[in-house]
Amino acid sequence: MTLERTVKIAPSILSADFADFGREIRAIESQGADWVHVDVMDNHFVPNLTFGPPAVKAFRRHVTTVMDVHLMIAPVDPSIQAYADAGADILTAHLEAGPHIHRTLQAIRAAGMRAGVALNPATPAEAAAHLLDLADLVCVMTVNPGFGGQSFIDMTDKIRRLRAMIGDRPVHIEVDGGVDPQTAARVVGAGADVLVAGSAVFRGGSADRPRIYGENIAAIRRAADAQTGTLA
Ligand code: DX5
Ligand code: ZN
């Protein structure tokens, strides 16, 4: 497997209209989203509560790209099969969510999903050193997880270290939190290839005015592509 290094934009539906997820998902996909990022929060690992497996399963009916499920829950292992059954393509667990992240990543792959490991801002890149053959994605949090709309915390040094540690392994580096066109350029320049964005995609638009989503996604993509040299 070779890693496709084209930058992917993954809008977080945490910033969507919670009464209208189906139309919101269809709107962002029609406007150029590469993946759909689904933030699962348990009011325990993080101080906020969103949705669980039945809702994620309902989202699946509308997702035609990649459903990227970010678990901000503890413990993780008892819920892995439920998210596989709900149709997650990628399931990301926090390294800080329990003592046995190695086992968790193995269990996610064994359930047929791609495995992601997320690192809180205070967790060093080196904490993932022994996980890089078990993970398909490392998610570098650039906010403390729990809420959309927070300010970006600079993790470019961590991203650079991780990209060097990953070497030629087919592992994505995803960045989550406070991503907008300015910060997108910085993290892609450091080696990230998946950009989660909530506020910066949904700001000013709606399922009735999806063109705004398209403009917001395009602005992030232009900034990212300028770093990779995809655009002249
Ligand atoms: C934060 C979530 C993010 C969040 C990003 O805990 O994991 O995915 O929705 O939102 P913005 O882009 O608004 O920072
Ligand atoms: Zn997220």
Side-chain angles (χ1 to χ4, degrees):
M1 177 184 166
T2 51
L3 177 64
E4 212 223 301
R5 286 296 298 279
T6 314
V7 172
K8 315 236 176 286
I9 315 261
S12 164
I13 58 169
L14 189 63
S15 295
D17 176 354
F18 270 39
D20 212 356
F21 280 120
R23 282 180 74 222
E24 291 279 46
I25 289 168
R26 293 197 300 276
I28 54 175
E29 288 199 336
S30 74
Q31 295 296 320
D34 298 296
W35 294 2
V36 175
H37 186 83
V38 176
D39 285 307
V40 174
M41 305 185 185
D42 67 351
N43 210 24
H44 167 72
F45 179 69
V46 291
N48 195 5
L49 183 64
T50 54
F51 29 69
V56 175
K57 188 171 189 173
F59 303 158
R60 175 75 265 181
R61 299 204 314 272
H62 302 279
V63 176
T64 62
T65 56
V66 170
M67 190 159 75
D68 173 34
V69 177
H70 176 190
L71 297 181
M72 286 158 274
I73 68 172
V76 172
D77 295 8
S79 297
I80 290 173
Q81 191 57 49
Y83 287 100
D85 294 342
D89 295 300
I90 303 171
L91 193 66
T92 295
H94 268 262
L95 187 145
E96 307 84 3
H100 305 301
I101 185 67
H102 197 281
R103 173 185 289 145
T104 300
L105 295 174
Q106 287 177 319
I108 291 171
R109 280 188 170 171
M113 297 172 284
R114 283 183 269 166
V117 57
L119 310 183
N120 279 337
T123 302
E126 288 68 23
H130 300 285
L131 302 172
L132 298 174
D133 290 317
L134 286 175
D136 302 286
L137 175 149
V138 179
C139 175
V140 175
M141 295 304 302
T142 39
V143 296
N144 289 295
F147 304 95
Q150 302 183 82
S151 303
F152 178 82
I153 302 169
D154 189 358
M155 291 281 134
T156 46
D157 181 55
K158 190 193 288 190
I159 295 164
R160 256 189 224 101
R161 284 168 188 257
L162 279 166
R163 187 49 80 196
M165 288 162 60
I166 289 167
D168 60 4
R169 295 178 181 90
V171 179
H172 295 289
I173 297 181
E174 176 177 75
V175 173
D176 188 359
V179 171
D180 61 19
Q182 286 72 39
T183 57
R186 284 157 64 186
V187 300
V188 168
D193 67 306
V194 182
L195 303 175
V196 176
S199 323
V201 166
F202 286 89
R203 184 177 295 132
S206 69
D208 292 326
R209 297 166 62 222
R211 293 269 306 270
I212 306 284
Y213 296 161
E215 288 166 15
N216 291 342
I217 291 169
I220 297 169
R221 198 182 300 284
R222 269 196 305 276
D225 286 350
Q227 291 295 316
T228 62
T230 305
L231 290 181

